[in-house]
Amino acid sequence: MSFRCISSLFDVTPKTASKYFRGFVPLLADFQNVRAVLDCTEVQLQRSTCLHCRILTYSHYKGRETVKFLVSVTPGGVFNYVSQGFVGKASDKFIFNASGMITMFDEGDSIMVDKGFAISNELSQHRLEMIRPPLLQGEQLSTEEAKQNASIARARVHVERSIQRLKNFNIFTNKFELNLVPFIDDLIIIAAGITNLSDPILADSRF
């Protein structure tokens, strides 16, 4: 349809119709090849009487003993992968490599991650693109880097909101009981499934 026709339908000038078109097309096409938005989430454990267990599960990021999971959501905010649990001291990079998740992607896919995922070499070897907030090189980000950082942050908020919903289950909100640890992998998958069945993260108008 021409801008003149669109202007008649929406009661705007052809110039305004053209302005919206040129402004929104690049925004709608952002990160169009993203297959997964990755993040790690941690579940706090009850304190163990075993010193060795406490050392293994201690998360320096959280400052307590945790079980750590790698999760992935689609650009629409739906869980499409949950890893098995890892000890809290495990890094994001270690969990990504140990999970074998990289074999799930096709050549040319893009993966959006946070700054903690130092997996650029692994992705490039499989011809995958990594989308990650720019790292601060000087005192502040350049104008272009700041725009890119804001754009990625807007896209990554979906995985953060999905994780927030997942962690709303009481079993994960409180300190996870040690006697239930053998079931934690199954419980996190069940919770992710229930989360997927709840109201969508994005409004219908965004699909």
Side-chain angles (χ1 to χ4, degrees), residues 147-163:
K147 290 180 179 178
Q148 182 186 13
N149 192 52
S151 182
I152 293 174
R154 286 195 299 270
R156 276 191 52 80
V157 72
H158 305 320
V159 69
E160 294 164 0
R161 291 174 63 194
S162 296
I163 290 174

Side-chain angles (χ1 to χ4, degrees), residues 31 115 131-154:
F31 313 125
K115 295 177 182 178
I131 299 175
R132 186 176 67 178
L135 299 176
L136 185 63
Q137 302 294 339
E139 293 185 358
Q140 62 182 19
L141 297 174
S142 66
T143 302
E144 188 60 34
E145 288 174 333
K147 290 180 179 178
Q148 182 186 13
N149 192 52
S151 182
I152 293 174
R154 286 195 299 270

Side-chain angles (χ1 to χ4, degrees), residues 8-160:
S8 298
L9 288 173
F10 293 95
D11 194 25
V12 296
T13 66
K15 183 177 180 180
T16 298
S18 174
K19 178 181 177 182
Y20 278 117
F21 175 83
R22 298 175 191 282
F24 277 94
V25 163
L27 293 177
L28 293 172
D30 265 2
F31 313 125
Q32 57 186 319
N33 293 325
V34 171
R35 176 99 174 265
V37 185
L38 305 186
D39 206 347
C40 282
T41 186
E42 301 185 50
V43 175
Q44 184 177 1
L45 294 172
Q46 285 183 338
R47 191 173 180 82
S48 172
T49 57
C50 170
L51 178 59
H52 180 66
C53 298
R54 294 206 303 269
I55 293 174
L56 282 177
T57 58
Y58 185 79
S59 166
H60 290 282
Y61 178 70
K62 292 293 185 180
R64 52 183 180 255
E65 293 79 34
T66 68
V67 176
K68 192 171 182 179
F69 296 90
L70 171 69
V71 300
S72 166
V73 302
T74 67
V78 176
F79 285 108
N80 60 359
Y81 178 81
V82 179
S83 76
Q84 68 184 70
F86 289 82
V87 293
K89 67 181 294 185
S91 67
D92 296 349
K93 176 177 181 175
F94 175 85
I95 294 176
F96 177 80
N97 288 329
S99 70
M101 187 187 185
I102 199 166
T103 61
M104 299 170 56
F105 298 103
D106 298 323
E107 184 176 322
D109 283 343
S110 297
I111 301 172
M112 184 174 286
V113 297
D114 204 357
K115 295 177 182 178
F117 285 83
I119 56 174
S120 56
N121 290 337
E122 289 84 348
L123 297 187
S124 62
Q125 289 173 8
H126 287 76
R127 293 182 172 83
L128 301 172
E129 179 188 8
M130 181 176 71
I131 299 175
R132 186 176 67 178
L135 299 176
L136 185 63
Q137 302 294 339
E139 293 185 358
Q140 62 182 19
L141 297 174
S142 66
T143 302
E144 188 60 34
E145 288 174 333
K147 290 180 179 178
Q148 182 186 13
N149 192 52
S151 182
I152 293 174
R154 286 195 299 270
R156 276 191 52 80
V157 72
H158 305 320
V159 69
E160 294 164 0

Side-chain angles (χ1 to χ4, degrees), residues 151-179:
S151 182
I152 293 174
R154 286 195 299 270
R156 276 191 52 80
V157 72
H158 305 320
V159 69
E160 294 164 0
R161 291 174 63 194
S162 296
I163 290 174
Q164 185 179 34
R165 284 188 176 187
L166 183 69
K167 301 291 278 292
N168 278 339
F169 288 89
N170 287 338
I171 195 168
F172 301 123
T173 302
N174 303 313
K175 293 181 181 179
F176 197 84
E177 296 181 19
L178 295 178
N179 65 318

